[in-house]
Amino acid sequence: MRRFVLATPSSDIIMKPVTAAFLALSLTAVAMVAPAQAAVKIQEVTSESGVTAWLVEDYTVPIIAVNFAFEGGSTQDPVGKEGLAEVMSGLFDEGAGDMPRASFQEALDLSGAEMSFNVSPDAFFGSLRTLAEDREEAFRLLRLAVNQPRFDPEPLARIRAQMIAGIEARANDPDQAASIAWANAIYGDHPYARRSEGTPETLATITAEDLKALHENLFARDNLVVGVVGAIDAETLKAELDRVFGALPQTPDLRPVARVEPKLDQEIAVSFPVPQASLRLAFPGVDRDDPRFFAAYMMNHVLGGGTFSSRLFDEVREKRGLAYGVGSSLVNRDHSSALMIGTSTRADRAAETLSVIRDVIARMASEGPTEQELADAKAYVIGSYAINNLDSSGAIARTLVQLQMDDLGIDYIDRRGDLIAAVTLDEVKAAAKDLLSAQPAIMILGPDASAGGQ
């Protein structure tokens, strides 16, 4: 599995409300920030049934955070059943085993634990946080949710109605419209172009049998990665891994998903009756395991990845006030990579904004960053990693899962700084030339989109 860096609106997530009981846990978890950053010693733990997890033992506070992911997300939705994985993610705490919704959620509340599930195009994620003293009950409920979800009629109808209401509420949202048009333009008929949240029509067709089939096909031990942080030792964790995941099938039954390169060298104009225009550009990307990845990452940081320090931010917002925000991202999915740029601006200044963006890109492609820009980018990217990825037990557990999905190695956190420091200015210039010399895909969505593209 590969990292999904830039979430597109086609990957909307159903977020569960945080229970009042768990707010106390969240506040307590802040105390873990300092020790977590000081040392992240990762152990690889494998249970008797072969379930492997990366574990960071930490007894600073009596909390256990568990994150896990199954390869295969909304791309596994059958044609005509778009939204299936999203619906399923909303139903795992709506009853399991012999416990209907009310009794399951009451037991979850009494345990003080927080359990959540969400889905991306490439993976299905789950998490649990609990006090160590309540571990037995919390892991029992997680086992039920993972192995015996009920998909009862009432919760299914309610979750479906909520999703349809959300889709209808966003029908006039220009960002939503832009994301749908953009995905169709650059991914064509690939599953990445399909709407992960579904449509009212596809959601209406989803049945409990569809959900059971997806669960059986997707939840298996071979496509599972687990990260655990907190007050639990390796031997205890092995037993809990078997209790929660040990009864799952060994291998999943996933639909094959083809590799897709974004369709570049095209201009898309979408008329939409709003005062603002949305601009999007796509260039070739770099896969996460490509030796050029960190050179491209540094280049992108200087171009538009550094929020308040990038060239695009400086030229588009600071010097000309054309937009509130503008940025670029390397988008790495399991089956596609791209460099994408996006902003919104006044419709009558869309052409000017696009011209400025193109000038910035052309200069970066021909000259690359300066030595000082690269040094600043390295300092930020190295220094901000712990703040962005290791600032709580939950964040560390998510990072452990992501490192496994990206196949980066258990010592990656220790090696990462040296890998970035070793990137040379010539390598970054070469990455800029390679990626930004291509003819991009450009989309303008607004009231007079065709004029904006001229």
Side-chain angles (χ1 to χ4, degrees):
M1 284 185 276
R2 299 279 173 75
R3 178 170 58 179
F4 179 58
V5 176
L6 179 64
T8 70
S10 63
S11 65
D12 289 343
I13 291 171
I14 299 175
M15 298 299 292
K16 291 293 182 181
V18 177
T19 64
F22 200 77
L23 287 176
L25 283 180
S26 301
L27 293 173
T28 308
V30 174
M32 295 190 66
V33 171
Q37 291 183 30
V40 179
K41 182 180 178 182
I42 306 172
Q43 307 173 59
E44 184 169 283
V45 174
T46 301
S47 72
E48 286 191 11
S49 68
V51 178
T52 296
W54 286 6
L55 166 66
V56 174
E57 285 188 58
D58 191 312
Y59 299 91
T60 308
V61 291
I63 291 176
I64 302 169
V66 181
N67 279 58
F68 54 92
F70 294 94
E71 180 184 8
S74 60
T75 57
Q76 298 300 306
D77 290 349
V79 174
K81 298 283 185 181
E82 287 81 4
L84 179 61
E86 290 267 11
V87 171
M88 190 170 77
S89 74
L91 289 171
F92 277 92
D93 61 355
E94 296 279 354
D98 61 353
M99 303 174 71
R101 180 184 66 84
S103 57
F104 185 88
Q105 293 189 339
E106 182 181 3
L108 192 61
D109 283 346
L110 288 174
S111 76
E114 181 187 61
M115 186 186 300
S116 66
F117 297 86
N118 57 69
V119 65
S120 78
D122 293 321
F124 196 99
F125 300 91
S127 68
L128 172 75
R129 288 205 296 173
T130 180
L131 289 170
E133 65 182 20
D134 297 322
R135 188 197 77 234
E136 286 281 344
E137 176 65 359
F139 276 72
R140 183 183 77 85
L141 295 172
L142 181 61
R143 177 183 62 80
L144 286 176
V146 167
N147 291 274
Q148 302 176 52
R150 290 172 62 97
F151 306 135
D152 287 337
E154 186 279 326
L156 170 56
R158 175 165 40 81
I159 295 294
R160 177 165 44 208
Q162 290 172 353
M163 292 178 63
I164 291 174
I167 291 169
E168 291 174 345
R170 293 190 298 274
N172 295 319
D173 180 352
D175 286 338
Q176 177 77 355
S179 296
I180 294 171
W182 184 235
N184 287 331
I186 65 173
Y187 293 123
D189 58 0
H190 191 273
Y192 286 153
R194 296 163 59 199
R195 297 176 62 176
S196 62
E197 80 278 20
T199 67
E201 292 76 20
T202 63
L203 290 170
T205 71
I206 291 173
T207 66
E209 287 67 33
D210 296 326
L211 294 162
K212 291 173 184 175
L214 179 64
H215 174 255
E216 290 174 2
N217 293 339
L218 198 149
F219 277 45
R221 285 173 284 163
D222 279 353
N223 63 328
L224 168 68
V225 295
V226 184
V228 180
V229 177
I232 186 169
D233 61 73
E235 292 305 315
T236 304
L237 178 58
K238 288 178 184 178
E240 295 293 9
L241 290 173
D242 279 339
R243 186 153 70 117
V244 175
F245 304 110
L248 292 174
Q250 184 68 45
T251 57
D253 185 11
L254 300 180
R255 298 169 183 273
V257 179
R259 172 83 186 180
V260 60
E261 301 300 334
K263 184 182 178 184
L264 307 180
D265 195 13
Q266 60 171 328
E267 295 188 5
I268 309 108
V270 181
S271 294
F272 206 81
V274 289
Q276 289 261 316
S278 296
L279 277 65
R280 302 191 182 204
L281 296 88
F283 290 84
V286 174
D287 289 347
R288 188 62 184 84
D289 58 357
D290 191 307
R292 301 173 299 162
F293 177 79
F294 275 120
Y297 196 91
M298 293 300 105
M299 183 279 292
N300 176 67
H301 187 85
V302 176
L303 175 66
T307 306
F308 300 114
S309 59
S310 73
R311 288 188 182 184
L312 285 172
F313 189 86
D314 187 50
E315 295 292 337
V316 173
R317 170 172 163 161
E318 291 296 285
K319 291 183 178 176
R320 296 172 179 83
L322 291 169
Y324 182 76
V326 58
S328 63
S329 296
L330 288 175
V331 180
N332 292 106
R333 291 176 163 175
D334 278 7
H335 311 287
S336 186
S337 294
L339 188 155
M340 296 194 182
I341 298 170
T343 189
S344 295
T345 186
R346 270 175 37 187
D348 62 345
R349 304 193 73 177
E352 178 186 1
T353 303
L354 181 57
S355 177
V356 172
I357 291 173
R358 282 177 142 163
D359 288 345
V360 171
I361 292 168
R363 186 159 66 90
M364 180 63 84
S366 63
E367 302 172 4
T370 67
E371 199 163 336
Q372 186 60 53
E373 286 176 321
L374 177 57
D376 291 344
K378 287 182 177 180
Y380 177 82
V381 172
I382 292 173
S384 64
Y385 186 78
I387 295 172
N388 294 331
N389 298 278
L390 307 174
D391 66 345
S392 69
S393 56
I396 297 171
R398 287 193 298 274
T399 298
L400 297 182
V401 167
Q402 195 65 62
L403 295 178
Q404 294 174 83
M405 293 170 69
D406 289 342
D407 196 22
L408 294 175
I410 201 167
D411 61 344
Y412 174 76
I413 294 176
D414 295 331
R415 293 185 292 107
R416 181 178 179 274
D418 291 339
L419 293 172
I420 294 170
V423 174
T424 68
L425 185 60
D426 286 343
E427 290 171 339
V428 180
K429 289 182 176 180
K433 185 176 181 180
D434 288 347
L435 302 185
L436 301 178
S437 295
Q439 290 299 317
I442 301 172
M443 187 182 79
I444 299 179
L445 179 144
D448 191 13
S450 58
Q454 294 175 354

PDB file of all heavy atoms in Angstrom, residues 46 97 101 267 293 399 411 434:
ATOM      1  N   THR A  46       4.675 -10.107  16.356  1.00  0.00           N
ATOM      2  CA  THR A  46       3.876 -11.015  15.524  1.00  0.00           C
ATOM      3  C   THR A  46       3.172 -12.026  16.423  1.00  0.00           C
ATOM      4  O   THR A  46       3.809 -12.709  17.224  1.00  0.00           O
ATOM      5  CB  THR A  46       4.749 -11.756  14.506  1.00  0.00           C
ATOM      6  OG1 THR A  46       5.409 -10.795  13.673  1.00  0.00           O
ATOM      7  CG2 THR A  46       3.901 -12.671  13.625  1.00  0.00           C
ATOM      8  N   GLY A  97     -22.076  -8.383  16.710  1.00  0.00           N
ATOM      9  CA  GLY A  97     -22.329  -9.614  17.443  1.00  0.00           C
ATOM     10  C   GLY A  97     -23.786  -9.680  17.876  1.00  0.00           C
ATOM     11  O   GLY A  97     -24.697  -9.453  17.085  1.00  0.00           O
ATOM     12  N   ARG A 101     -27.468  -1.705  18.226  1.00  0.00           N
ATOM     13  CA  ARG A 101     -26.821  -0.393  18.328  1.00  0.00           C
ATOM     14  C   ARG A 101     -26.811   0.157  19.747  1.00  0.00           C
ATOM     15  O   ARG A 101     -25.762   0.562  20.254  1.00  0.00           O
ATOM     16  CB  ARG A 101     -27.518   0.603  17.410  1.00  0.00           C
ATOM     17  CG  ARG A 101     -26.911   2.001  17.436  1.00  0.00           C
ATOM     18  CD  ARG A 101     -27.706   2.961  16.583  1.00  0.00           C
ATOM     19  NE  ARG A 101     -29.030   3.185  17.130  1.00  0.00           N
ATOM     20  CZ  ARG A 101     -29.311   4.060  18.089  1.00  0.00           C
ATOM     21  NH1 ARG A 101     -28.343   4.794  18.610  1.00  0.00           N
ATOM     22  NH2 ARG A 101     -30.537   4.214  18.527  1.00  0.00           N
ATOM     23  N   GLU A 267      -7.161  21.226 -21.302  1.00  0.00           N
ATOM     24  CA  GLU A 267      -7.758  22.357 -20.593  1.00  0.00           C
ATOM     25  C   GLU A 267      -9.251  22.093 -20.450  1.00  0.00           C
ATOM     26  O   GLU A 267      -9.931  21.780 -21.427  1.00  0.00           O
ATOM     27  CB  GLU A 267      -7.501  23.668 -21.334  1.00  0.00           C
ATOM     28  CG  GLU A 267      -6.014  24.029 -21.385  1.00  0.00           C
ATOM     29  CD  GLU A 267      -5.775  25.426 -21.941  1.00  0.00           C
ATOM     30  OE1 GLU A 267      -6.769  26.139 -22.192  1.00  0.00           O
ATOM     31  OE2 GLU A 267      -4.603  25.794 -22.122  1.00  0.00           O
ATOM     32  N   PHE A 293      12.222  10.805  -5.026  1.00  0.00           N
ATOM     33  CA  PHE A 293      11.092  11.299  -4.237  1.00  0.00           C
ATOM     34  C   PHE A 293      11.459  12.509  -3.377  1.00  0.00           C
ATOM     35  O   PHE A 293      10.764  13.529  -3.404  1.00  0.00           O
ATOM     36  CB  PHE A 293      10.524  10.185  -3.347  1.00  0.00           C
ATOM     37  CG  PHE A 293       9.411  10.678  -2.465  1.00  0.00           C
ATOM     38  CD1 PHE A 293       8.121  10.848  -2.978  1.00  0.00           C
ATOM     39  CD2 PHE A 293       9.644  11.019  -1.137  1.00  0.00           C
ATOM     40  CE1 PHE A 293       7.096  11.340  -2.174  1.00  0.00           C
ATOM     41  CE2 PHE A 293       8.618  11.514  -0.337  1.00  0.00           C
ATOM     42  CZ  PHE A 293       7.350  11.662  -0.859  1.00  0.00           C
ATOM     43  N   THR A 399       1.091   7.079  12.396  1.00  0.00           N
ATOM     44  CA  THR A 399       2.357   7.110  11.657  1.00  0.00           C
ATOM     45  C   THR A 399       2.915   5.699  11.485  1.00  0.00           C
ATOM     46  O   THR A 399       3.434   5.354  10.413  1.00  0.00           O
ATOM     47  CB  THR A 399       3.369   7.995  12.390  1.00  0.00           C
ATOM     48  OG1 THR A 399       2.863   9.340  12.450  1.00  0.00           O
ATOM     49  CG2 THR A 399       4.721   8.013  11.678  1.00  0.00           C
ATOM     50  N   ASP A 411      13.032   1.365  10.651  1.00  0.00           N
ATOM     51  CA  ASP A 411      13.995   2.379  11.092  1.00  0.00           C
ATOM     52  C   ASP A 411      13.865   3.678  10.303  1.00  0.00           C
ATOM     53  O   ASP A 411      14.756   4.526  10.358  1.00  0.00           O
ATOM     54  CB  ASP A 411      15.416   1.835  10.945  1.00  0.00           C
ATOM     55  CG  ASP A 411      15.762   1.473   9.492  1.00  0.00           C
ATOM     56  OD1 ASP A 411      14.819   1.349   8.672  1.00  0.00           O
ATOM     57  OD2 ASP A 411      16.964   1.309   9.196  1.00  0.00           O
ATOM     58  N   ASP A 434      12.120  17.815 -14.682  1.00  0.00           N
ATOM     59  CA  ASP A 434      11.404  16.604 -15.094  1.00  0.00           C
ATOM     60  C   ASP A 434       9.893  16.757 -14.941  1.00  0.00           C
ATOM     61  O   ASP A 434       9.127  16.380 -15.833  1.00  0.00           O
ATOM     62  CB  ASP A 434      11.860  15.410 -14.248  1.00  0.00           C
ATOM     63  CG  ASP A 434      13.263  14.956 -14.603  1.00  0.00           C
ATOM     64  OD1 ASP A 434      13.790  15.395 -15.649  1.00  0.00           O
ATOM     65  OD2 ASP A 434      13.839  14.173 -13.813  1.00  0.00           O
TER      66      ASP A 434
END
